[in-house]
Amino acid sequence: KCSLENANMLNLDNSVDASLDLWSRADVQTCTTWKAAIIWEGMFDPDAYDQMHRREGSSVALTVFAVGRYLDAYLKTFLNTSEQHFMLGLPVTYYIFTDVPEKVPDIKLAPQRSIKVMKVEKNSRWQDVSMMRMKTISDVIESDIRHHCTHVFCFDVDQVFTGRFGSEALGDSVALLHAHYYRLPKKYFTYDRNPNSKAYMQTGDFYYHAAIFGGLWKSVKALTEACYQGIMEDKRNNVEALWHDESHLNKYMWLHKPTKVLSPEYCWDTSIIYRSEIRVTRLMWAPKYYDTLRTP
Ligand code: UDP
Ligand code: MN
């Protein structure tokens, strides 16, 4: 169980979490060693979270990149399903980054929800498209998001919302357990193991999935800026971390512990065989067509 002892020291969100949560899951780890909640279905009252965040005036920026062929392949479904499930009842601004703004689909949005399309250059290597998101997100938080939103959530586009992805996921600094690693011993975690990379780490807490991360704008700004600095230093040293931005994110979250951790319900790979602890899938991996999508 997450102890309440340091709730007062932590941000408001944590103290309210502690009083709202029902803590009724015994089959999974619901708390980290540093007392951050790991969010699973059955642990929380969704309405209580929604009321609290409406009272607090929370508003959410969702960033997503659809560069090159990823736009046609994924963006429309991502946005349509997000309108069904992501932070319903709270103000949401989508920040869509693409090299082809004119191709962004026209989506009917609920009230209090809007889209901002921002043009980015297309890096020729997919690894760079992925890594350079850190720089772009950091910049747009500074120039725009910080003036309009309290929280930021950053998403891969190759995913489909299938269940509530709501305000229980909001926190100061939020990371996601990778569906492929959450049950494995640490020795299997695919951290970067090259001492020459800034992402190098020998051990860690969890293997986090970079397909989703978020938090207060200030926390996400700090994370994206630090990861970008690490990525650029690696480039100067002619090295690249094993899993690119994800390796840097794992290093950052090891040094700066997240205040909330999302269970793999929040990003599930349905090719994994049945797991009794996954009671709901809130977001699912879309099929990956690397052969056709990643060729320049
Ligand atoms: N991306 C993109 N165009 C590209 C490569 C990547 O828009 O050519 C964005 C897109 O949002 C994608 C994310 O970067 O979801 C990460 O890449 P990908 O999903 O291929 O990585 P993986 O899920 O395999 O880690
Ligand atoms: Mn992806």
Side-chain angles (χ1 to χ4, degrees):
K1 280 191 176 179
C2 273
S3 102
L4 312 185
E5 64 198 329
N6 56 1
N8 294 335
M9 289 159 40
L10 296 170
N11 55 60
L12 169 84
D13 180 44
N14 274 349
S15 58
V16 177
D17 282 1
S19 63
L20 290 177
D21 289 337
L22 310 172
W23 307 119
S24 59
R25 291 288 299 257
D27 58 330
V28 287
Q29 184 185 350
T30 57
C31 193
T32 68
T33 53
W34 61 96
K35 310 284 187 219
I38 308 175
I39 307 295
W40 292 87
E41 173 69 2
M43 281 175 57
F44 60 90
D45 175 352
D47 297 333
Y49 269 97
D50 289 347
Q51 281 166 27
M52 175 186 82
H53 279 285
R54 276 202 294 270
R55 213 167 40 235
E56 294 300 321
S58 300
S59 52
V60 186
L62 182 162
T63 72
V64 66
F65 289 68
V67 175
R69 289 197 272 276
Y70 279 64
L71 191 150
D72 280 335
Y74 299 117
L75 186 61
K76 193 169 183 182
T77 307
F78 177 89
L79 292 172
N80 275 326
T81 60
S82 166
E83 279 297 288
Q84 303 302 314
H85 301 292
F86 182 74
M87 302 291 164
L88 301 188
L90 289 181
V92 171
T93 309
Y94 296 97
Y95 290 79
I96 301 173
F97 301 93
T98 179
D99 55 327
V100 279
E102 64 280 6
K103 287 180 75 179
V104 171
D106 201 13
I107 303 286
K108 186 159 169 31
L109 301 174
Q112 289 205 292
R113 300 170 77 100
S114 60
I115 289 182
K116 292 189 181 180
V117 180
M118 308 215 157
K119 190 168 161 68
V120 291
E121 296 306 314
K122 181 179 184 308
N123 282 99
S124 53
R125 296 175 65 244
W126 63 265
Q127 297 92 332
D128 286 328
V129 174
S130 190
M131 289 192 291
M132 288 310 155
R133 290 183 293 176
M134 293 295 185
K135 163 80 172 144
T136 307
I137 293 167
S138 164
D139 287 350
V140 78
I141 290 173
E142 187 60 34
S143 66
D144 189 316
I145 291 175
R146 58 178 290 182
H147 305 296
H148 303 291
C149 301
T150 57
H151 293 76
V152 189
F153 253 104
C154 309
F155 282 86
D156 270 17
V157 74
D158 55 342
Q159 338 195 60
V160 179
F161 290 87
T162 53
R164 176 189 163 95
F165 195 122
S167 61
E168 74 282 358
L170 297 174
D172 180 334
S173 159
V174 184
L176 166 76
L177 298 184
H178 196 298
H180 290 182
Y181 298 98
Y182 74 104
R183 299 223 299 202
L184 291 181
K186 287 183 186 183
K187 66 175 177 187
Y188 295 112
F189 293 176
T190 54
Y191 297 139
D192 183 81
R193 308 290 185 179
N194 174 0
N196 297 326
S197 170
K198 286 294 283 179
Y200 170 73
M201 53 199 288
Q202 285 175 295
T203 187
D205 303 301
F206 299 103
Y207 191 78
Y208 300 116
H209 190 178
I212 300 174
F213 56 91
L216 294 171
W217 69 256
K218 218 170 202 165
S219 308
V220 180
K221 165 95 177 132
L223 174 144
T224 50
E225 198 164 270
C227 288
Y228 175 65
Q229 293 302 336
I231 288 164
M232 293 316 282
E233 186 162 335
D234 277 5
K235 285 195 182 290
R236 286 191 289 276
N237 293 326
N238 246 318
V239 292
E240 192 162 273
L242 179 63
W243 288 111
H244 320 106
D245 43 304
E246 185 164 85
S247 302
H248 290 276
L249 176 121
N250 270 279
K251 178 69 174 283
Y252 184 88
M253 291 292 189
W254 166 238
L255 300 175
H256 310 266
K257 310 295 190 204
T259 61
K260 184 172 275 186
V261 176
L262 302 180
S263 71
E265 296 163 6
Y266 287 83
C267 190
W268 189 245
D269 177 1
T270 43
S271 70
I272 299 173
I273 51 151
Y274 174 78
R275 301 268 175 89
S276 61
E277 70 270 24
I278 305 296
R279 295 185 185 169
V280 50
T281 53
R282 306 173 183 283
L283 181 78
M284 293 180 342
W285 298 20
K288 296 183 185 283
Y289 310 106
Y290 292 145
D291 293 356
T292 48
L293 292 180
R294 282 180 173 172
T295 45

